[in-house]
Amino acid sequence: AGVTATNNNNLCPWEYDYMSGRSVPGDGRIDYVKSFPPKGVPYESVALDSLHAKQFCWEESNGSLVKIWSQVSEQLECYLKQQQSEPKIQTQEKVKSGGTEQRHI
């Protein structure tokens, strides 16, 4: 990824060029096409109005931190509610037989 001049705002006249460079195996980047979950897994896309490099900055610095944080918090709340509603399974080791027993508590 290179650095290019942008006219998006006065606070950040330079921005990394994430669009021109292609990712290659092992470089740590994820292609857009590979960034979605497999079919059957529900997801929601959230549009951000900030530059890629500013997404985790406060809104007064032209970032989208509050929007991102609210999405993450909402997902965490849903996950915790789901975990609380599912029956817990406790695993005990059987010492003599060497097997594993699962029981609902």
Side-chain angles (χ1 to χ4, degrees), residues 36-93:
F36 296 97
K39 289 186 182 223
V41 175
Y43 70 92
E44 178 182 336
S45 294
V46 178
L48 301 176
D49 54 359
S50 59
L51 298 172
H52 187 276
K54 301 284 265 178
Q55 288 175 354
F56 281 94
C57 295
W58 294 107
E59 278 68 8
E60 54 267 16
S61 298
N62 295 323
S64 299
L65 183 61
V66 172
K67 191 171 195 177
I68 293 170
W69 186 254
S70 66
Q71 289 291 318
V72 171
S73 297
E74 185 179 315
Q75 290 174 19
L76 180 58
E77 285 180 31
C78 291
Y79 173 78
L80 292 174
K81 285 179 185 176
Q82 179 184 8
Q83 291 298 307
Q84 292 170 352
S85 67
E86 292 178 358
K88 293 183 170 75
I89 297 176
Q90 181 180 16
T91 303
Q92 294 181 331
E93 295 292 328

